[in-house]
Amino acid sequence: MKQYVGLDISMEETSICVLDQAGGVTFEGCAPTNPEAIAKLLRRHAGSAERIVFETGSLSNWLWHQLRALGFPVICLDARHANAALSMRINKSDQNDAKGLAEMARMGWYREAAVKGAESWKTRSMLAARTKLVNLRRDIDNQMRGLCKGWNSARQGRLDQPGSESQRRAR
C-alpha cells in the first residue's frame, strides 16, 4: 500500500502526517527535528512511503540531504506554492500543515524546489558570512568616524593611520 508523508519542520520539533492511498490518516505525530529521530518514526509508521514532502526553509537543505542519504524518497516543495495551498485551510497549526503537505504529495499538486549540493551550500554560507563581516566592519568604521568628528579627528583620515590626530598627540 502506497503512503504519502508530510513533514512540517520547525527548529525543535517536526510534525508528521502519514496518509494512505485513499487519503485516510494512518499516523499523526511529532518527532525531534533530527534525521535519525524522523527516520526511526518513518520506518515504523511509513515503511512504504512513496513521497515524503516538506517545504523549503532554513533546515530543509540539511534535512533533505540527511534523509536522502538514509534512503527516503524526499521531495522539497516550493514554500510559496505550498503556502498558497495551505493558507486555504481553516485551522492553521503544524499538524494541519503536515496533513496538508501529505495531501499535496498524494494528489501530486506540488512544485518541487531544487535542492543544491552540500558544497554549493557551504560556499554560499561562507560568502554570506564574509559579506556580513565586511558590512559590520564598514559600519563600525563609519560609526567611529562619526563619533570622532566632534574632536576634529576625522579630518585627519582614519584613526589607525599614521599622522592622525591621536598619534600626533602621543609623540
Side-chain angles (χ1 to χ4, degrees), residues 78-129:
D78 179 46
R80 283 178 250 134
H81 184 255
N83 185 40
L86 295 175
S87 66
M88 291 186 265
R89 300 175 84 64
I90 295 171
N91 296 329
K92 184 85 168 115
S93 68
D94 290 346
Q95 201 61 49
N96 282 340
D97 284 353
K99 185 175 181 180
L101 290 169
E103 288 172 354
M104 289 172 67
R106 185 177 71 86
M107 302 301 287
W109 297 338
Y110 60 85
R111 184 177 302 146
E112 189 170 349
V115 177
K116 295 185 179 178
E119 193 61 36
S120 170
W121 178 65
K122 190 186 303 183
T123 302
R124 181 177 164 92
S125 297
M126 295 300 277
L127 288 172

Side-chain angles (χ1 to χ4, degrees), residues 139-150:
D139 292 346
I140 290 171
D141 282 349
N142 289 340
Q143 183 71 31
M144 293 305 297
R145 190 172 291 117
L147 290 171
C148 293
K149 249 184 198 177

Side-chain angles (χ1 to χ4, degrees), residues 23-135:
V25 176
T26 59
F27 174 77
E28 281 186 317
C30 295
T33 301
N34 73 53
E36 293 80 22
I38 294 171
K40 183 179 177 184
L41 198 140
L42 289 174
R43 283 190 188 102
R44 188 176 331 141
H45 297 286
S48 59
E50 185 165 308
R51 293 185 200 122
I52 300 170
V53 300
F54 50 86
E55 296 175 87
T56 56
S58 59
L59 299 174
S60 59
N61 193 313
W62 166 72
L63 198 58
W64 187 89
H65 285 289
Q66 295 295 315
L67 289 175
R68 179 67 62 145
L70 293 171
F72 290 102
V74 291
I75 299 171
C76 190
L77 306 183
D78 179 46
R80 283 178 250 134
H81 184 255
N83 185 40
L86 295 175
S87 66
M88 291 186 265
R89 300 175 84 64
I90 295 171
N91 296 329
K92 184 85 168 115
S93 68
D94 290 346
Q95 201 61 49
N96 282 340
D97 284 353
K99 185 175 181 180
L101 290 169
E103 288 172 354
M104 289 172 67
R106 185 177 71 86
M107 302 301 287
W109 297 338
Y110 60 85
R111 184 177 302 146
E112 189 170 349
V115 177
K116 295 185 179 178
E119 193 61 36
S120 170
W121 178 65
K122 190 186 303 183
T123 302
R124 181 177 164 92
S125 297
M126 295 300 277
L127 288 172
R130 182 189 181 283
T131 300
K132 183 70 171 173
L133 290 172
V134 167
N135 289 339

